[in-house]
Structure formats: structure tokens, C-alpha cells
Amino acid sequence: MEKNKTILPPHTIGIIGGGQLGRMMAIAARYMGYKVAVLDPTPNCPTAQVADIQITAAYDDMNAIKELTEISDVITYEFENVDLTAAAYIEKQGKLPQGTYALEVTQNREKEKNVIQEMNLPIPDFAIVKNAEECRNALHTFTFPAVIKTCRGGYDGKGQIKINSIEDTDRAAQFAEENGYCIIEQWITFDKEISVVFSRSHEGKITIFPIAENKHRDHILYQTTVPAKISSTVENKAYEATKILAEKMNIVGTFAIEMFVQGDDIFLNEMAPRPHNSGHYTIEACNVSQFTQHIRAICGLPLVEVQLLNEAVMINILGEDMDGVFKALPQAENGFVHLYGKSEPKEKRKMGHITFIAANEETLQKQIEHFKGAMA
């Protein structure tokens, strides 16, 4: 996109990917008066339900990519595994303000770690292995526990296994042999995980949302609490690392960084070049959401200064929670329930989220307990 080019409503925003993040981007865009086109292989996907146009095709279908580029004035994406050839084509047409670099880095764990390391930001020790033998050799240099992950793909704990002791070497070696291109990382014994969600404009202005504290169950984000209970030292380190990374990578739009907290130290874990599950609380708890800020950034509009209006807890709704949520809805006066319009509630599948907001932690906990009681 040309520098200082502004896309105003009712122009069309194209979104690659039709899941829940695309849906919430589309809702924010529609509120602002934009039209929305989505490319996704699944008919009536969550984003399509609130969009003007759906192109039903594979993400790497270049004819579909060209069609989306033609009908859109600006294009974004809701996940990082966008085909790089497609992204480069859109960027060449001047319609991908986020560019391809952030995609290239975040869809490859080796590149991601190297980029962070080059910025002298703290990360766990790591090694890249291509087969069983390299895996065995590398594990001699690690203390346990460690973790081995595929360098590409994988989310919510998929594509990785924890290596608890030397006895797990055979299992890790087999994983490396089967997957071929893996990263071994030192397992960080952390006090908590936090995430920093921020937005950056074309001109380089950065706005950072309040730092969120995350809890996982079975490798899936279960709960996000804001503000995070962290020291001012950790907060300052997290903000400083965020600003360095945002500038060096020339980010445009909303972006997220997950970090581990160990005492007063932080370790950067993973990055997401788009709005993030842990930033959903911003819809109700802030004066501007991560999605609205993203739309403003990619369309060349000035970013809004962020304010936290209430403390918040966001809880993911998985497939197995749906019956309980429907049971609670007629009884619970607190909690903002967002359902994503997915066709089938499968176990461990993210079907929606619920956000509780209040002036203090005690009131928040009462709201959550009441809702959970109504679910039983």
C-alpha cells in the first residue's frame, strides 16, 4: 500500500481466512462502514456470515487470490500460514500493508527465534534438527525438561512433545525423523505466561493494550486476565521488548507476542502477526478493541490511544462447554458471550468466548462463579 494512502468506508477490506478472528475483524469493519470480502475454502464460514462476499477456494488458489485482490481495496489475514507466493502477489499490487516479512518470520519457528535473537531479546536456548541423529546429538547439550516442535505449523499444542528426561530421547528422535524440520527448545519453568497485544500504524505509531495474563489447559488458552499481576520491572521489560520488535520488523496492524515470566525476567516465546485470542477482552474492557485498531491501522487511519475501562477475565468456550453455556444464558446477567458461528461443536474446538468485566477482582470472581454455577 502506498505510504499515507487512506482507505475510507465504504471501500472493501479483503480477509484471507474465515475463522473467528476474521469474523471479529469483519464485525469491526462493518461497524465502521466498510464492505468485507473473505477467502476461505469452507462455505458459510464464521467470517462469511458477517461479510458481503465470500470467495470459496483454497488459500493458495492464485485465481482466487487475484479475484480477492481485484475486488478489495486493502487485504489482511487472520492467521499466519498464508501462502507466501499469494502474499507477495498482493503486496506487489500495493494492497497488503502488513507486507510479507512478518508472515515469513512467524510461520517458521527457526526464523522467528533467529530474528528475536538478532534483536538481543531474551529467548529460551534452542537448536534446529532435521532428523533423529541430529536430535539425539542436540539433546546432549540440553538440560531437561525440553520441548521439540515442528518448525512450521502447529497450534494449541499440536506438533510438539515435551521431553521430560533422557528416557524420552527415543520418542523425540522419532518425532524429528517423522517431521524432518524441528526445533528443540529449553523448557522454561515460568511463574506465568503473559501476552502483549499492540497495534502499529504505517507512520510507526504504536499503541499497546494492557498486558494480559494467560492460563492454559491441555495446551489451549483457557483464561486471560487483565491487568496481569506482574511487577513494574516485568511490565517495563515487556513493553521495551515489544517496541524494539515492532520497530525492527516494521509491523503494521495488530500483532501479539507471548512471553514467559520467571521472577523479574521475561523470555519471548511466540509471535502472531494478527489479532490474538488473548486480546479478545479488549472488545468490552477497552475504549477500542484489537480488531478496530487493526482495521484502522491497515486502512491508514490514526490509531486510538488505548484505555482500560474495567478489569476483565476472558474464558474460551470449547465444544464440550456449549450445552452449559446455553443453559446459563437465561440465568446469568453478567458475561458477554461471543459465539463464532461454527457449524459443529467438537471437543477442544474453540466455539466462542465469554468476557466478564468489573471494577475489581472480587466482583469479577463472583460473576464467573455465578455463570459457572448456572452452567452446571
Side-chain angles (χ1 to χ4, degrees):
M1 197 160 107
E2 294 167 28
K3 197 170 181 182
N4 301 323
K5 183 180 178 184
T6 304
I7 307 294
L8 296 173
H11 284 91
T12 300
I13 297 171
I15 302 173
I16 300 174
Q20 63 263 25
L21 295 174
R23 179 188 181 93
M24 288 181 271
M25 282 182 201
I27 290 170
R30 293 292 295 268
Y31 265 122
M32 295 168 72
Y34 290 99
K35 292 177 182 170
V36 176
V38 59
L39 169 62
D40 192 277
T42 306
N44 197 39
C45 59
T47 308
Q49 294 164 18
V50 295
D52 299 272
I53 301 164
Q54 177 176 4
I55 299 170
T56 308
Y59 300 126
D60 59 355
D61 182 329
M62 283 307 297
N63 288 328
I65 289 290
K66 287 174 182 176
E67 183 183 350
L68 182 70
T69 306
E70 197 171 309
I71 64 175
S72 304
D73 297 281
V74 64
I75 292 176
T76 185
Y77 44 80
E78 66 131 28
F79 60 94
E80 47 269 37
N81 291 314
V82 175
D83 181 77
L84 286 178
T85 303
Y89 171 82
I90 301 166
E91 184 176 24
K92 195 174 179 182
Q93 308 310 307
K95 294 186 178 182
L96 190 72
Q98 293 159 273
T100 57
Y101 179 64
L103 282 173
E104 186 182 337
V105 170
T106 55
Q107 62 184 230
N108 183 309
R109 287 190 172 99
E110 180 183 11
K111 288 184 179 179
E112 188 173 65
K113 289 289 186 288
N114 284 336
V115 163
I116 296 171
Q117 199 171 51
E118 285 163 14
M119 296 178 203
N120 293 316
L121 296 175
I123 54 171
D125 290 337
F126 71 94
I128 303 300
V129 298
K130 304 275 176 74
N131 54 48
E133 184 183 358
E134 289 183 8
C135 176
R136 289 180 189 281
N137 291 338
L139 285 177
H140 287 305
T141 67
F142 280 81
T143 54
F144 298 103
V147 62
I148 184 168
K149 306 175 183 178
T150 55
C151 277
R152 294 180 178 275
Y155 65 96
D156 289 346
K158 298 174 177 68
Q160 66 179 61
I161 56 172
K162 188 178 179 183
I163 310 164
N164 290 302
S165 68
I166 196 73
E167 280 75 33
D168 290 328
T169 299
D170 287 345
R171 196 161 63 101
Q174 184 182 347
F175 182 92
E177 194 67 36
E178 287 172 358
N179 291 283
Y181 178 30
C182 299
I183 182 169
I184 299 172
E185 294 177 29
Q186 192 65 59
W187 185 271
I188 297 293
T189 305
F190 56 90
D191 303 322
K192 57 187 66 181
E193 185 198 276
I194 59 172
S195 53
V196 184
V197 178
F198 69 91
S199 306
R200 186 173 180 272
S201 69
H202 292 279
E203 292 74 30
K205 179 182 176 180
I206 300 170
T207 60
I208 305 177
F209 290 97
I211 297 174
E213 184 175 331
N214 302 320
K215 290 182 180 175
H216 290 76
R217 287 184 180 175
D218 300 323
H219 302 288
I220 300 171
L221 180 64
Y222 163 67
Q223 178 176 301
T224 294
T225 302
V226 178
K229 289 182 178 176
I230 52 175
S231 67
S232 57
T233 302
V234 167
E235 185 177 34
N236 291 336
K237 285 181 178 180
Y239 282 144
E240 189 59 32
T242 297
K243 289 171 186 172
I244 291 168
L245 193 144
E247 294 289 349
K248 295 275 188 184
M249 290 185 66
N250 196 27
I251 300 301
V252 173
T254 294
F255 193 100
I257 313 169
E258 295 174 345
M259 305 179 189
F260 297 132
V261 177
Q262 189 185 70
D264 275 340
D265 293 323
I266 59 166
F267 295 88
L268 276 64
N269 181 27
E270 292 182 349
M271 306 186 289
R274 33 93 181 153
H276 194 258
N277 194 169
S278 66
H280 292 349
Y281 77 88
T282 60
I283 297 172
E284 282 88 20
C286 294
N287 62 320
V288 61
S289 78
Q290 63 168 343
F291 301 101
T292 297
Q293 205 79 310
H294 181 69
I295 297 301
R296 294 182 70 87
I298 64 167
C299 290
L301 299 173
L303 299 182
V304 178
E305 290 295 339
V306 174
Q307 296 173 16
L308 181 67
L309 305 177
N310 287 282
E311 294 189 18
V313 172
M314 186 283 304
I315 298 173
N316 273 327
I317 299 169
L318 304 182
E320 58 266 36
D321 305 323
M322 290 291 283
D323 288 345
V325 168
F326 285 130
K327 188 177 176 184
L329 276 173
Q331 306 173 59
E333 65 225 19
N334 294 113
F336 296 88
V337 175
H338 297 250
L339 296 178
Y340 302 149
K342 294 183 179 180
S343 58
E344 193 180 348
K346 296 176 183 175
E347 190 174 347
K348 305 300 178 195
R349 186 186 198 192
K350 292 174 188 170
M351 301 300 294
H353 72 269
I354 178 166
T355 302
F356 299 90
I357 60 170
N360 56 63
E361 185 181 359
E362 185 183 356
T363 307
L364 275 175
Q365 290 309 315
K366 284 180 180 175
Q367 291 180 7
I368 294 167
E369 286 164 19
H370 177 68
F371 197 93
K372 286 184 175 178
M375 287 176 68

